[in-house]
Amino acid sequence: MNGPFQPRKGDALFFEEDRLFILDQRALPLEESYIEARTPHEVVRAISTLAVRGAMAIGIAAGYGVLLGAIEASRSKNEDILEGAQKAAEILKASRPTARNLFWAVERMEKRINECNGGSVREILDCLKQCADAIAADTIEQNMKLVEVGVGILPDECKALTHCNSGALASLRYGTALSILIEAHRRGKAVHVFVDETRPLLQGARLSAWELARSGVAHTVICDNAAAFFMERGEINVVITGADRIAANGDTANKIGTYGLAILARFHEIPFYIAAPSSTIDLSCPGGNDIPIEERSPEEVKKFQSIQVTPENTQARNPAFDVTASHLISGIITEKGIVFPPYKENLRQMFQVR
Ligand code: MRU
């Protein structure tokens, strides 16, 4: 398969010669280097250490991770190829719990594993490769449409605040919230983006600022605790972020700190939008309390870019995501259009598979 929506050399993720090439986001913005994953375990490591991160990018990586499980098994005399793929699916599903897209992608691969039963080794590998490519292609296509929808809702003079990184790095070629802002700039809107630094791992300061700079979009990085200051002064007129999982009632998990921003936006009467494709929406999850929230190592909080900033024995907590209650969200931008409240009814109407 070789269409316009296929990952190719130069993308942040691409598959070549039985290897998944991953732009190492831990090294950005200082260094642009790729790591190579040849086994599902290496993909799991890349996902859990955030070499590849962002809900949709980890879904795409996991799709190829399942394929690598089948390839690995095909080289071993003792292992059944479909079993190898299934084992890979299991460890990939355990790599990070919050982003729905990871499960959406692995479940698609699992369905294909079942459909492949009875095929030759070559047929099975081709079939799984096609499925992993289709996951990538669908993601790119959905986000292209979502960006189109999102640009329309931004004010002509757009003073936006965003949190974490929801650009191409969090997906492939087209991201969500950040890509909407970049496209609005490309189309001539006056866009200035305030970028939360996004402690503890600085996805805003390191990654969103890198993407905005490359696209020539005016931007200002601020400390996470400075948002209220700029809102109160009227320097921000829209808040827009991505999402890791959207429950059936519209409650939305995204990078820790998003919930606080939504409360601040409501207080200052600033619209607060979420942008996410349908692969992030989980209608089987009734509400925010049912979304599994990843808690990462306290060491990430106790250190700033590897430098210890707390006393050695200080305790820290490190939830990676929080949940924004749906009543704080002005609208959810998707590839099918903008979903407005009441979310439970409107999400079901737009996304329920009949
Ligand atoms: O821990 P990360 O960097 O994977 O968290 C990513 C986010 O919270 C993004 O905002 C989210 O995935 C939406 S963009 C696809």
Side-chain angles (χ1 to χ4, degrees):
M1 191 165 156
N2 233 336
F5 299 137
Q6 280 321 115
R8 50 176 184 251
K9 214 176 186 134
D11 280 333
L13 282 172
F14 62 94
F15 195 84
E16 213 173 75
E17 292 171 3
D18 292 351
R19 281 171 290 170
L20 179 63
F21 289 81
I22 297 170
L23 177 63
D24 187 349
Q25 299 192 31
R26 296 166 300 187
L28 288 173
L30 302 180
E31 194 185 308
E32 287 177 43
S33 58
Y34 281 82
I35 53 174
E36 294 175 26
R38 293 164 192 264
T39 66
H41 283 99
E42 287 174 357
V43 178
V44 167
R45 201 171 315 125
I47 291 174
S48 52
T49 59
L50 272 55
V52 55
R53 45 130 318 267
M56 293 154 302
I58 63 177
I60 294 168
Y64 288 110
V66 174
L67 170 65
L68 286 172
I71 293 172
E72 199 179 29
S74 74
R75 292 191 181 125
S76 131
K77 287 202 176 61
N78 308 325
E79 204 172 7
D80 177 78
I81 177 168
L82 291 177
E83 257 174 49
Q86 187 54 50
K87 274 192 203 158
E90 299 307 329
I91 60 168
L92 284 154
K93 283 193 287 190
S95 62
R96 290 192 82 187
T98 303
R100 170 64 197 148
N101 310 65
L102 176 83
F103 299 88
W104 170 81
V106 176
E107 283 161 16
R108 270 177 76 162
M109 294 298 288
E110 288 180 310
K111 187 160 174 275
R112 194 56 74 87
I113 292 170
N114 290 329
E115 290 163 0
C116 286
N117 212 342
S120 69
V121 168
R122 190 66 266 158
E123 281 166 351
I124 293 173
L125 292 179
D126 285 349
C127 181
L128 293 179
K129 169 78 167 49
Q130 269 170 21
C131 187
D133 283 345
I135 288 166
D138 289 352
T139 304
I140 295 173
E141 199 176 356
Q142 283 173 355
N143 285 347
M144 262 178 73
K145 291 183 182 157
L146 170 157
V147 164
E148 195 63 43
V149 172
V151 167
I153 205 169
L154 292 181
D156 284 340
E157 200 198 324
C158 176
K159 301 180 280 182
L161 171 66
T162 193
H163 190 66
C164 196
N165 171 268
S166 57
L169 288 170
S171 181
L172 195 61
R173 235 171 286 161
Y174 293 89
T176 58
L178 193 73
S179 297
I180 290 171
L181 294 166
I182 291 173
E183 184 61 21
H185 159 81
R186 212 183 61 78
R187 295 195 190 176
K189 289 199 184 194
V191 177
H192 189 106
V193 184
F194 283 87
V195 183
D196 266 354
E197 61 173 353
T198 318
R199 271 283 282 152
L201 298 180
L202 304 176
Q203 287 93 330
R206 296 187 302 106
L207 308 176
S208 294
W210 182 75
E211 286 198 43
L212 289 163
R214 278 163 56 113
S215 305
V217 183
H219 62 284
T220 305
V221 174
I222 60 172
C223 296
D224 294 329
N225 43 14
F229 175 87
F230 290 106
M231 286 185 186
E232 195 275 330
R233 293 186 161 208
E235 294 194 41
I236 290 165
N237 64 3
V238 62
V239 181
I240 179 166
T241 76
D244 283 80
R245 192 185 293 239
I246 299 174
N249 68 351
D251 291 351
T252 294
N254 190 51
K255 178 55 58 194
I256 188 79
T258 305
Y259 172 43
L261 285 184
I263 294 171
L264 288 177
R266 172 60 54 88
F267 183 82
H268 292 95
E269 298 179 5
I270 296 167
F272 175 91
Y273 292 107
I274 291 288
S278 48
S279 51
T280 308
I281 297 167
D282 185 1
L283 294 182
S284 73
C285 177
N289 289 340
D290 306 294
I291 300 178
I293 298 293
E294 175 183 11
E295 187 145 348
R296 296 181 62 82
S297 164
E299 292 305 308
E300 291 178 350
V301 175
K302 291 170 67 175
K303 292 185 174 140
F304 184 86
Q305 297 285 72
S306 311
I307 297 167
Q308 176 95 22
V309 290
T310 64
E312 191 59 56
N313 295 325
T314 296
Q315 296 205 1
R317 293 279 303 271
N318 188 13
F321 302 96
D322 59 24
V323 175
T324 300
S326 60
H327 66 89
L328 295 171
I329 300 171
S330 311
I332 300 175
I333 301 163
T334 77
E335 77 274 18
K336 292 191 177 176
I338 301 175
V339 188
F340 292 105
Y343 290 113
K344 199 168 168 190
E345 290 73 13
N346 293 343
L347 282 169
R348 195 175 342 110
Q349 206 170 36
M350 211 182 269
F351 295 102
Q352 185 100 289
V353 184
R354 274 170 251 282

